[in-house]
């Protein structure tokens, strides 16, 4: 179990450091040209690379919502859920701290939103709480379905990280303007702690919506899409 938790901690660290780091360190400079698309790709690449690197140890969740969805689908013992969550949140906070230490080394640095998630005034496009709640639920449910489908026994082994990474890229391309994209409570927590906005005050939504979406996605997969031997 120790190796599994270490893998989840490191994988989540990489996801937050790579994905949020691309937003804080690179997307902040328009001349570098990565924009929303570059940030979306960075998040997808973090999941893809860590799924290959340590996914064989822990399952490669790196996300409390994914762990909940996998447990609801019957693929993770419920007793492992809270330890996974703790490891993921610790990894995300560690990544946020390292990213802050690096970013603050630039003269005139201001944390601002610090790649955090938000709605209303904290939404990149000014979207409402209701819009943020709905898109996070729908996209997390879809993400869980992609993960469960890509890792089922009917799919050739070894390709799941590619489809999962591409799915996360797509999710970011859709929802960065709405919420700055969470679908991952650990990712939201890890940077909200360092933001100077009210990101912490809005963090509840980025736990609630992904967890609801994860359960919905798992139930759709388990009872409508899974083959009889997996249901």
């Amino acid at each position: 179990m120790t190796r599994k938790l270490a893998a989840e901690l490191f994988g989540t660290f990489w996801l937050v450091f790579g994905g949020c780091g691309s937003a804080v360190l690179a997307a902040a400079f328009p001349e570098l040209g990565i924009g929303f698309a570059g940030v979306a790709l960075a998040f997808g690449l973090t999941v893809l690379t860590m799924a290959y690197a340590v996914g064989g140890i822990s399952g490669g969740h790196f996300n409390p919502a994914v762990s909940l969805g996998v447990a609801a689908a019957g693929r993770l013992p419920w007793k492992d859920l809270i330890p996974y969550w703790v490891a993921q949140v610790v990894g995300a906070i560690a990544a946020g701290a390292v990213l802050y230490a690096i970013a603050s080394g630039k003269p005139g640095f201001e944390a601002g939103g610090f790649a955090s998630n938000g709605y209303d005034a904290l939404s990149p496009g000014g979207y409402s709480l209701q819009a943020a709640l709905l898109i996070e639920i729908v996209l997390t449910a879809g993400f869980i379905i992609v993960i469960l489908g890509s890792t089922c026994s009917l799919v050739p082994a070894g390709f799941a990280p590619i489809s999962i990474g591409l799915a996360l890229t797509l999710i970011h391309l859709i929802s960065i303007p709405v919420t700055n994209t969470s679908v991952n409570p650990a990712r939201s927590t890890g940077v909200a702690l360092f933001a100077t906005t009210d990101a912490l005050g809005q963090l509840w939504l980025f736990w609630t919506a992904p967890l609801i979406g994860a359960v919905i996605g798992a139930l759709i997969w388990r009872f409508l899409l899974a083959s009889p031997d997996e249901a």
Side-chain angles (χ1 to χ4, degrees), residues 59-155:
H61 301 176
F62 320 138
N63 180 339
V66 171
S67 295
L68 177 60
V70 172
R75 296 191 190 175
L76 178 75
W78 285 103
K79 65 179 178 61
D80 292 347
L81 184 61
I82 298 301
Y84 265 55
W85 281 10
V86 171
Q88 290 156 356
V89 171
V90 169
I93 293 173
V98 172
L99 181 57
Y100 184 88
I102 294 169
S104 61
K106 183 178 184 295
F109 166 76
E110 294 182 6
F114 201 64
S116 59
N117 304 113
Y119 53 86
D120 289 336
L122 299 187
S123 161
Y127 286 83
S128 67
L129 183 156
Q130 292 81 1
L133 184 69
L134 183 58
I135 199 167
E136 289 288 331
I137 289 173
V138 170
L139 291 178
T140 308
F143 192 39
I144 295 300
I145 292 170
V146 170
I147 290 169
L148 294 174
S150 299
T151 55
C152 78
S153 60
L154 301 178
V155 176

Side-chain angles (χ1 to χ4, degrees), residues 40-62:
L41 182 60
F43 272 99
L45 289 174
T46 62
V47 169
L48 188 155
T49 52
M50 278 297 108
Y52 277 121
V54 301
I57 300 172
S58 65
H61 301 176
F62 320 138

Side-chain angles (χ1 to χ4, degrees), residues 63-65 68 116-124 126-141 175-176 178-189 192 198-214:
N63 180 339
L68 177 60
S116 59
N117 304 113
Y119 53 86
D120 289 336
L122 299 187
S123 161
Y127 286 83
S128 67
L129 183 156
Q130 292 81 1
L133 184 69
L134 183 58
I135 199 167
E136 289 288 331
I137 289 173
V138 170
L139 291 178
T140 308
S175 61
I176 285 178
V178 183
T179 62
N180 211 25
T181 310
S182 174
V183 302
N184 184 337
R187 168 260 189 270
S188 297
T189 303
D198 189 36
L200 277 176
Q202 296 189 0
L203 185 60
W204 66 271
L205 186 144
F206 301 102
W207 273 86
T208 303
L211 294 181
I212 292 172

Side-chain angles (χ1 to χ4, degrees), residues 20-35 39 103 106 109-110:
C20 294
S22 71
V24 171
L25 301 176
F29 297 92
E31 63 271 19
L32 296 180
I34 75 164
V39 173
K106 183 178 184 295
F109 166 76
E110 294 182 6

